[in-house]
Amino acid sequence: MLCATAIALQLSLFTSCNELTPEEQASLAAKGYYEHLAAGEYDQYMEGVSGTKEAPADYTEQLRASAKQYVGRLKQQHQGIEAVEVRSARSDTTLHCTEVFLLLRFTDTATEEICVPMVEQDGRWLLK
């Protein structure tokens, strides 16, 4: 699992060789945040949620608790997330975000595709 700093480093190293599109950058960030979530690394996941730095502490804690409940429910239903894969991404110029489509592969072999809206803030891609 990658922390936000490692994701940023990975992006900067990769971009020195090849220029990534905004969709590719948003996809890598979304995948990394969901890998943190799957691993129960809630602080690292929360670093990727837009607006949490300015939000009141109790609101941020409610978001963290909701993330824990979500992972707990997935563990009950599917024995947890085994892998996170990027399926595709597209920019939505109306909403000013990039929608990343992730495939969650569960331990029980089930899969689920989710749409994760991402926004760029100060050069970082964050979960909207």
Side-chain angles (χ1 to χ4, degrees):
M1 302 302 158
L2 299 173
C3 69
T5 306
I7 292 169
L9 178 61
Q10 186 179 45
L11 280 172
S12 67
L13 291 174
F14 192 80
T15 54
S16 65
C17 298
N18 296 325
E19 199 60 37
L20 293 177
T21 66
E23 289 84 3
E24 291 167 329
Q25 292 173 18
S27 295
L28 283 174
K31 181 181 187 297
Y33 296 134
Y34 268 78
E35 286 175 339
H36 284 303
L37 184 65
E41 299 167 346
Y42 302 109
D43 289 337
Q44 292 88 341
Y45 170 78
M46 292 300 296
E47 286 178 16
V49 178
S50 174
T52 56
K53 298 214 185 297
E54 309 83 36
D58 60 337
Y59 175 72
T60 302
E61 189 50 44
Q62 288 174 1
L63 289 176
R64 180 180 283 109
S66 179
K68 287 180 183 179
Q69 288 175 347
Y70 173 65
V71 170
R73 191 169 52 252
L74 293 178
K75 284 182 180 178
Q76 285 181 331
Q77 294 172 346
H78 302 290
Q79 292 84 50
I81 300 171
E82 185 175 287
V84 179
E85 299 173 13
V86 175
R87 297 290 290 211
S88 64
R90 69 172 181 227
S91 293
D92 186 325
T93 55
T94 304
L95 297 175
H96 303 289
C97 72
T98 295
E99 296 173 327
V100 176
F101 295 87
L102 298 176
L103 183 70
L104 303 181
R105 292 195 178 276
F106 300 108
T107 305
D108 68 358
T109 71
T111 61
E112 179 180 358
E113 186 173 88
I114 61 171
C115 178
V116 182
M118 302 289 289
V119 292
E120 187 179 12
Q121 294 178 351
D122 300 322
R124 285 185 63 206
W125 284 95
L126 301 171
L127 301 161
K128 186 173 181 181

